[in-house]
Amino acid sequence: MIQIFSCFTKIGLQPLDFIRVLNDIRMSGNKFLILEGKIGLLSAAGIVSLDIDTLKWISCNVVNYENSFDHGADLFVSNNDIFYIINHNIRHMGWENKIELGIITMHPENYESKLFKFCKQVEDVIKITVDGRRVRHFNFGWYQSGTNWEVTSRIYPSGKFSRAVYNDKEVSAANLIKVNTFKELLIMISRSKPLSLSLKPTSVNSNYESSVRILLNNDLLYSDISQNSYKLTPLAKKMINGSHWMTILLTKTLINNGVPLEKIIWSLSEDSEEVDCVVDFRGKTWIFELKDKPFEAGHAHPFIYRAIKYKADKIIIFTTDKVGPNARKIFKDISNNYRAAIDIDSPIFIEGTSSLDDKISDLIKNETISLVNKKKKELNVLTSTNLTPLFNKLFDDYKHSGKKI
């Protein structure tokens, strides 16, 4: 799966210093594509000396043959990964002073070590290349990009929330409870309808005995001999309460598809408005509504209000049943009539636990590709180069599978 990771340091370089840094990194073997193209052009004309005038020429990009702006970004390829650097300096209107580094990869398992190595290389070259008196004032603290302060600010200092915490036993229990036979049996017992240890109740189907045995073996039921009945274990009570088993299933699926556990928040509440699950996905807010019953029109308006309150970028409804037609109509009307005022994507409906994995997988893939495309467009502008052939060549697995990069 394609992934993009980035970080930044809160300094900015003057255009000429930025080119010097790129050139020094180039000398260590990492060939920046745009810089290399300009040097190749000069070389073809017999200009091989990178004197001050040549570096000044390289530090400027031409746009439409009329206007110019700084050579503010470049990229190189290593082992089919794209590494990019962007110099967000004060000469770009509205940009804060910072250097952004990133990696776009199909193999995210080692991204941290790769990105750390890139950061260290850039930091070391800046210390050597830029005037030492200025370097002393640089703060090279590297910060991870994509933190959603809208969510974080509501958690601290006074927000009510639960960190996503679970264990393998809870995941196994949730996977059992998603089967209606087991769920209905547990719910029936939880409603003070005891099951005799010796009698087979008529209200339970013919699989009663095997179902009870499976629930006993998975620590969801226990035998209360003194009462001659089966009782729910603490694990079962926890899973049934508030349909927590759905939260566990959703969380495990998100993690399986690459969302870090620390980016998942349960039961975030403010002013009596609670969201079942919030995900901070690369700086975007996703909110989930979980229903172990049909999602009807009466649920739609409160959910839309919470989406606006928490400034959600995406809303997802996960129901074990169906999203009713009237609820769908409300979302459609909101989208058609208030699209300009409410900047929220159309909701995603996950109907039934069997579709959970595919829906979450598609959601994360599409969102990641959207972020990669956005970064590609930014690099296109900053480098005055159409990088689409490069992206398609390196990430052709997505191209051939119908995903557009």
Side-chain angles (χ1 to χ4, degrees):
M1 176 180 172
I2 190 172
Q3 295 263 27
I4 179 170
F5 305 96
S6 63
C7 61
F8 64 92
T9 183
K10 295 180 179 180
I11 66 170
L13 296 175
Q14 293 302 314
L16 192 56
D17 286 334
F18 182 60
I19 291 301
R20 284 171 169 159
V21 168
L22 295 188
N23 188 55
D24 283 358
I25 294 175
R26 168 182 176 265
M27 301 304 291
S28 68
N30 291 325
K31 305 292 187 181
F32 285 98
L33 302 183
I34 309 306
L35 175 63
E36 206 65 27
K38 292 180 177 180
I39 292 175
L41 175 65
L42 294 170
S43 178
I47 303 172
V48 294
S49 174
L50 296 181
D51 56 24
I52 188 66
D53 290 333
T54 304
L55 290 174
K56 284 182 178 179
W57 177 82
I58 291 175
S59 71
C60 182
N61 288 332
V62 177
V63 182
N64 297 331
Y65 304 100
E66 297 173 357
N67 304 312
S68 66
F69 65 99
D70 301 336
H71 183 132
D74 219 319
L75 64 163
F76 66 86
V77 178
S78 177
N79 296 323
N80 291 327
D81 295 332
I82 290 179
F83 291 81
Y84 68 83
I85 180 171
I86 299 176
N87 183 34
H88 298 269
N89 64 58
I90 56 177
R91 291 179 61 175
H92 292 88
M93 188 63 66
W95 280 6
E96 61 179 312
N97 246 4
K98 67 179 183 179
I99 294 175
E100 177 188 347
L101 305 181
I103 176 174
I104 304 172
T105 179
M106 289 284 288
H107 305 283
E109 54 274 3
N110 297 320
Y111 86 90
E112 289 179 321
S113 61
K114 294 176 183 177
L115 198 52
F116 175 81
K117 183 178 178 181
F118 189 23
C119 291
K120 189 68 168 61
Q121 185 179 35
V122 170
E123 183 176 325
D124 289 345
V125 169
I126 289 175
K127 290 178 179 178
I128 295 171
T129 305
V130 180
D131 185 335
R133 289 171 297 176
R134 292 165 56 200
V135 169
R136 287 203 304 268
H137 301 289
F138 285 172
N139 174 17
F140 283 103
W142 293 94
Y143 302 87
Q144 183 179 0
S145 303
T147 298
N148 191 321
W149 296 110
E150 179 60 34
V151 173
T152 305
S153 64
R154 292 178 184 276
I155 295 175
Y156 302 107
S158 59
K160 294 181 180 179
F161 66 99
S162 299
R163 287 293 185 192
V165 179
Y166 66 93
N167 55 47
D168 291 341
K169 200 168 187 178
E170 290 175 341
V171 172
S172 297
N175 278 311
L176 273 179
I177 295 172
K178 73 180 181 182
V179 179
N180 278 335
T181 301
F182 300 129
K183 181 176 67 175
E184 290 171 0
L185 182 55
L186 291 174
I187 290 175
M188 183 181 71
I189 298 173
S190 72
R191 291 173 178 169
S192 300
K193 295 181 179 180
L195 298 181
S196 169
L197 295 177
S198 56
L199 296 177
K200 180 176 174 181
T202 57
S203 60
V204 182
N205 62 33
S206 59
N207 293 326
Y208 162 72
E209 290 187 51
S210 61
S211 297
V212 167
R213 187 163 51 252
I214 292 171
L215 293 173
L216 285 168
N217 291 338
N218 285 275
D219 194 29
L220 292 170
L221 285 182
Y222 72 95
S223 304
D224 185 347
I225 299 176
S226 64
Q227 297 285 327
N228 192 38
S229 64
Y230 295 108
K231 299 287 185 65
L232 266 61
T233 64
L235 174 62
K237 291 177 181 178
K238 181 178 181 180
M239 292 297 102
I240 292 296
N241 184 31
S243 300
H244 186 62
W245 66 271
M246 293 183 69
T247 305
I248 296 290
L249 276 187
L250 172 63
T251 301
K252 182 61 175 174
T253 304
L254 288 167
I255 290 171
N256 287 347
N257 284 277
V259 177
L261 181 63
E262 63 270 17
K263 297 293 186 179
I264 303 171
I265 299 165
W266 295 341
S267 304
L268 179 60
S269 63
E270 181 181 338
D271 300 330
S272 301
E273 291 296 334
E274 181 174 307
V275 177
D276 293 332
C277 183
V278 181
V279 172
D280 175 1
F281 186 81
R282 307 293 171 82
K284 291 189 174 182
T285 302
W286 297 354
I287 68 172
F288 291 79
E289 180 82 353
L290 280 56
K291 292 290 182 189
D292 190 11
K293 58 184 177 181
F295 186 94
E296 302 291 2
H299 304 127
H301 284 298
F303 188 44
I304 291 170
Y305 172 76
R306 290 192 288 272
I308 296 171
K309 180 181 181 65
Y310 287 94
K311 298 182 181 179
D313 299 287
K314 191 169 291 293
I315 58 177
I316 303 99
I317 296 162
F318 173 30
T319 171
T320 55
D321 202 292
K322 295 288 185 182
V323 177
N326 290 334
R328 288 176 178 268
K329 184 177 183 301
I330 289 171
F331 287 118
K332 185 176 181 180
D333 289 345
I334 291 290
S335 179
N336 290 340
N337 299 326
Y338 303 99
R339 192 75 180 94
I342 303 175
D343 188 20
I344 301 173
D345 291 342
S346 298
I348 292 174
F349 303 134
I350 303 175
E351 298 175 308
T353 57
S354 61
S355 63
L356 177 62
D357 189 66
D358 286 343
K359 287 281 190 177
I360 294 297
S361 176
D362 286 344
L363 168 62
I364 292 173
K365 284 181 181 178
N366 291 336
E367 285 297 303
T368 303
I369 289 172
S370 176
L371 290 173
V372 171
N373 273 326
K374 183 178 179 181
K375 184 56 65 177
K376 183 190 72 175
K377 290 176 182 178
E378 182 182 5
L379 290 169
N380 282 350
V381 171
L382 294 176
T383 61
S384 301
T385 306
N386 185 349
L387 299 168
T388 299
L390 170 66
F391 276 70
N392 285 346
K393 177 64 177 177
L394 292 177
F395 308 122
D396 58 355
D397 285 353
Y398 272 82
K399 182 181 178 184
H400 296 322
S401 66
K403 307 292 184 181
K404 295 182 179 180
I405 301 297

